[in-house]
């Protein structure tokens, strides 16, 4: 069984989503199916088919979340330290062309959210900076061409 690296926050978010699906969404869709059945002929009942489709989605997501939770390898970022970039690090990089500065936390693939500045360990930038330290420059191939970034900060929060 392949373990999935994950921060404690990411693990908690998955557990909360699973709990919500099981305790709120699943019972609601079961009620919707029961109500739709009361309307009679199921072959032409759009509400019934929509509810069954929603139920199928929920059950699939529940199975997926249970699998990810079972395979999670929780890494406590607060216990990590050092100068090298590794899983869980919050890095600050400067684009050498535009001098634009950005900070990202390197997290597992299921936790990644660029709007929240969480970068998947499998992303090109994260793969390029792993093992590097402050002052190192990395080349990253992006869809828009090659980019150079300098690592200016590595922290573990």
């Amino acid at each position: 069984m392949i373990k999935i690296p994950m921060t404690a926050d990411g693990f908690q978010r998955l557990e909360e989503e699973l709990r919500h699906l099981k305790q709120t969404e699943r019972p609601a869709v079961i009620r919707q199916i029961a109500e739709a059945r009361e309307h009679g002929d199921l072959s032409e009942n759009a509400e019934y088919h929509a509810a069954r489709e929603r139920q199928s989605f929920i059950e699939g997501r529940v199975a997926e979340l249970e699998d990810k939770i079972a395979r999670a390898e929780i890494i406590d970022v607060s216990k990590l330290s050092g100068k090298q970039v590794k899983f869980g690090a919050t890095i600050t990089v400067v684009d050498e062309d535009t001098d634009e500065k950005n900070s990202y936390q390197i997290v597992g693939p299921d936790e990644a959210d660029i709007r929240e500045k969480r970068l998947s360990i499998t992303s090109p930038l994260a793969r390029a900076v792993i093992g590097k330290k402050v002052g190192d420059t990395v080349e990253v191939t992006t869809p828009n061409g090659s980019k150079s970034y300098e690592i200016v900060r590595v922290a573990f929060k």
Side-chain angles (χ1 to χ4, degrees):
M1 179 163 56
I2 298 170
K3 291 288 187 181
I4 302 171
M6 194 174 296
T7 64
D9 287 343
F11 184 78
Q12 184 178 357
R13 278 191 293 277
L14 289 182
E15 283 189 319
E16 286 170 8
E17 182 182 354
L18 180 62
R19 190 173 21 263
H20 174 74
L21 288 173
K22 284 183 166 181
Q23 294 176 355
T24 306
E25 296 293 325
R26 189 185 264 169
V29 81
I30 289 170
R31 281 191 303 277
Q32 289 171 350
I33 290 170
E35 288 172 14
R37 278 193 175 134
E38 292 173 5
H39 296 282
D41 185 11
L42 297 181
S43 65
E44 294 181 19
N45 189 330
E47 290 174 358
Y48 174 78
H49 292 290
R52 288 301 304 251
E53 192 172 305
R54 177 80 180 135
Q55 181 184 38
S56 177
F57 170 79
I58 290 169
E59 295 306 321
R61 185 66 179 153
V62 164
E64 180 183 0
L65 289 171
E66 286 175 339
D67 176 60
K68 287 178 181 181
I69 288 170
R71 295 188 302 133
E73 181 179 341
I74 302 167
I75 297 170
D76 187 354
V77 177
S78 66
K79 293 182 179 175
L80 299 176
S81 63
K83 304 258 185 236
Q84 280 192 322
V85 178
K86 53 189 161 195
F87 181 89
T90 299
I91 60 165
T92 303
V93 294
V94 174
D95 184 326
E96 293 191 330
D97 296 331
T98 64
D99 286 336
E100 185 179 342
K101 191 183 275 193
N102 284 300
S103 293
Y104 304 101
Q105 182 181 22
I106 298 175
V107 297
D110 296 310
E111 305 172 76
D113 185 349
I114 199 67
R115 291 181 305 270
E116 298 290 325
K117 301 290 188 180
R118 292 191 304 262
L119 197 61
S120 171
I121 188 112
T122 61
S123 71
L125 178 58
R127 287 194 318 242
V129 299
I130 292 291
K132 305 288 192 262
K133 57 187 183 307
V134 172
D136 287 351
T137 300
V138 295
E139 283 285 325
V140 180
T141 304
T142 68
N144 296 331
S146 189
K147 293 270 221 184
S148 264
Y149 295 97
E150 180 184 353
I151 303 168
V152 294
R153 184 170 177 262
V154 176
F156 295 92
K157 301 176 186 175

